[in-house]
Amino acid sequence: MSADAIVLGAGIIGVSTAVHLAKRGKSVVLVDRRGPGEETSYGNAGLIQREGVVPYGFPQQIGMILRYALNNRIDAHYHLSAVPSVARFLAKYWWNSNVSRHQVIAKAYAPLIEHSISEHDALIREADCEHLIKKDGWTEAFRTQAKQDAEVREAERLKREYDLNFKVLDAKQLAEKEPHLSNDFVGGLTWVEPWSVLDPHALTMAYVKLLERLGGRFVRGDATTLVRTGAGWRVTTDEGAIEAKDVVIALGPWSDTVTAPLGYRFIVGVKRGYHMHYGTRDNKVLNGWTMDAERGYFLAPMNQGIRLTTGAEFALRDAPKTPVQLERAEAVARTVFPLGERLDREPWMGARPCTPDMMPIIGKAPRHDGLWCAFGHSHHGLTLGPVTGRLIAEAICGEKPFMDASAYRPERFAI
């Protein structure tokens, strides 16, 4: 079988890339070892984060670092045995998170985020899946006035610099918005522009159906079988070998299984995360996506139930699950909202790739013709799928890019 392009990885990044290539008349085969959207893209808070211009940084305050070192928090957890393996990544992550450097990174990161809503909107309309989207933002709920005041000051800065809109809520207004939350909170802050997704996996599958309507195909296959040929690239799938001139690596935290044999060493860490769905008690309702800001977990009213998501776990990618953050978060969440029974047989765990400077790796591999990179999106894979897909498709097709992508090019990262 032959095609114009192979996309390795059927998460939201890979699917979006395949769609954009197909929209430009390319014959595309999307390849993954599992079904589309069943890995990292399946488990997230379901937000298209227009406000997320500032990447998640490593704490800089010594007191906060020491508190994280106790390893008893919800928003972060680590495997002590993994520290030697990830020390180099963590050191560079910490350095890039200093205030001055972090602000420079945010300036480079912001253009990607700026286009996230408009690029998703175009695909959502074409995929006819508007029923999966809510357009009423999300809310941070605060337990202390000091925390709220600090976050409001930061929101005001982001509004000045990036034209982001928000609403400040006092305790009464928060209670009106979420009447079934407890009175543990003094107020909130609602980011009004982000969209939320009622079922992230269903959104990915809607984009896959759009791909198929455009003539693209999905097949199961092994990305690690990728080899160069005289005319381009070949990969082995359940339907036989597929050859194409161009191949896109969109394998998220597994991208190194393909890039390393080709001689590329990208410093990429892994942030693992967990979620669980719950029913509610006494017909209580959670109206919108809500974060317990001081505790660091998210509650999202999705089609499958109330999804509780944790912060980051720093561990080896393939280490066994250790959902201690989920247990901690659930215990706290039950004191502020009437969660019912667990609806999943076991906690879901996913892994996200993260570069030390929090920037995704997007563009042509520097030493191989026809090899393209689209990974390293950390917490914003869902948000940036269509933006990344469009940038890669434009580059492959020789089009003028709709935005400057020089800050994300692989040559900045490859060793």
Side-chain angles (χ1 to χ4, degrees), residues 55 81 213 296:
S81 61
R213 291 201 299 272

Side-chain angles (χ1 to χ4, degrees), residues 128-200:
D128 192 25
C129 57
E130 291 93 339
H131 61 284
L132 295 174
I133 306 300
K134 293 184 67 175
K135 303 179 181 180
D136 51 6
W138 68 277
T139 298
E140 298 178 69
F142 304 108
R143 293 169 177 265
T144 65
Q145 194 62 52
K147 178 67 170 178
Q148 181 171 18
D149 292 345
E151 292 301 313
V152 169
R153 287 194 296 272
E154 175 65 3
E156 289 170 342
R157 181 184 74 84
L158 295 178
K159 180 176 176 61
R160 290 192 302 270
E161 295 185 20
Y162 301 103
D163 194 29
L164 300 173
N165 294 312
F166 63 92
K167 294 179 181 178
V168 179
L169 309 176
D170 60 23
K172 180 180 177 181
Q173 291 168 323
L174 179 62
E176 290 172 350
K177 186 177 183 65
E178 295 294 350
H180 299 137
L181 282 182
S182 71
N183 60 3
D184 291 63
F185 302 101
V186 302
L189 185 154
T190 296
W191 295 100
V192 300
E193 292 169 293
W195 290 2
S196 46
V197 183
L198 291 166
D199 187 335

Side-chain angles (χ1 to χ4, degrees), residues 14 58 97 105 250 286 304 345 366 370 396 401:
F58 196 99
S97 298
I105 290 169
L286 184 69
Q304 296 160 285
R345 288 189 300 174
I396 290 175

Side-chain angles (χ1 to χ4, degrees), residues 40 251-254 268-271 351-355 375-379:
T40 305
L251 293 164
W254 296 275
V268 178
V270 172
K271 292 181 178 181
R352 305 179 183 96
C354 182
T355 63
F375 56 87
H377 292 76
S378 190
H379 287 78

Side-chain angles (χ1 to χ4, degrees), residues 6-287:
I6 300 166
V7 179
L8 300 177
I12 192 68
I13 301 292
V15 171
S16 298
T17 300
V19 167
H20 272 288
L21 286 166
K23 283 164 62 71
R24 287 159 175 77
K26 296 290 186 180
S27 58
V28 185
V29 180
L30 180 66
V31 178
D32 202 300
R33 62 181 179 176
R34 300 184 62 181
E38 292 184 3
E39 292 280 6
T40 305
S41 295
Y42 181 83
N44 52 70
L47 288 171
I48 303 172
Q49 287 191 262
R50 171 63 184 91
E51 92 298 344
V53 294
V54 178
Y56 295 97
F58 196 99
Q60 298 292 290
Q61 302 85 359
I62 296 298
M64 179 60 73
I65 292 175
L66 292 175
R67 287 195 289 274
Y68 278 112
L70 296 175
N71 213 20
N72 59 4
R73 299 177 63 90
I74 295 170
D75 54 344
H77 181 69
Y78 63 90
H79 288 188
L80 185 60
S81 61
V83 171
S85 299
V86 301
R88 184 183 183 195
F89 159 74
L90 290 175
K92 289 180 175 291
Y93 185 22
W94 172 82
W95 185 84
N96 280 302
S97 298
N98 72 70
V99 174
S100 59
R101 178 62 184 152
H102 200 234
Q103 290 177 346
V104 171
I105 290 169
K107 292 289 186 183
Y109 193 72
L112 286 171
I113 295 291
E114 180 182 358
H115 295 284
S116 59
I117 295 291
S118 59
E119 291 300 309
H120 263 290
D121 186 39
L123 294 192
I124 288 165
R125 291 175 184 274
E126 291 181 65
D128 192 25
C129 57
E130 291 93 339
H131 61 284
L132 295 174
I133 306 300
K134 293 184 67 175
K135 303 179 181 180
D136 51 6
W138 68 277
T139 298
E140 298 178 69
F142 304 108
R143 293 169 177 265
T144 65
Q145 194 62 52
K147 178 67 170 178
Q148 181 171 18
D149 292 345
E151 292 301 313
V152 169
R153 287 194 296 272
E154 175 65 3
E156 289 170 342
R157 181 184 74 84
L158 295 178
K159 180 176 176 61
R160 290 192 302 270
E161 295 185 20
Y162 301 103
D163 194 29
L164 300 173
N165 294 312
F166 63 92
K167 294 179 181 178
V168 179
L169 309 176
D170 60 23
K172 180 180 177 181
Q173 291 168 323
L174 179 62
E176 290 172 350
K177 186 177 183 65
E178 295 294 350
H180 299 137
L181 282 182
S182 71
N183 60 3
D184 291 63
F185 302 101
V186 302
L189 185 154
T190 296
W191 295 100
V192 300
E193 292 169 293
W195 290 2
S196 46
V197 183
L198 291 166
D199 187 335
H201 181 249
L203 181 69
T204 302
M205 293 306 299
Y207 289 178
V208 171
K209 291 180 181 178
L210 172 61
L211 170 66
E212 292 171 344
R213 291 201 299 272
L214 292 167
R217 297 189 60 199
F218 167 76
V219 299
R220 292 179 185 266
D222 184 356
T224 64
T225 63
L226 182 71
V227 294
R228 297 190 73 179
T229 67
W233 300 90
R234 182 175 67 244
V235 68
T236 301
T237 75
D238 291 355
E239 299 184 19
I242 300 174
E243 295 191 9
K245 176 177 177 292
D246 294 290
V247 62
V248 181
I249 302 171
L251 293 164
W254 296 275
S255 294
D256 65 323
T257 63
V258 174
T259 59
L262 294 172
Y264 295 97
R265 297 293 184 270
F266 296 102
I267 301 176
V268 178
V270 172
K271 292 181 178 181
R272 307 199 314 179
Y274 299 85
H275 81 229
M276 172 63 69
H277 295 102
Y278 300 83
T280 61
R281 292 187 282 108
D282 304 322
N283 297 316
K284 295 298 192 293
V285 175
L286 184 69
N287 292 317

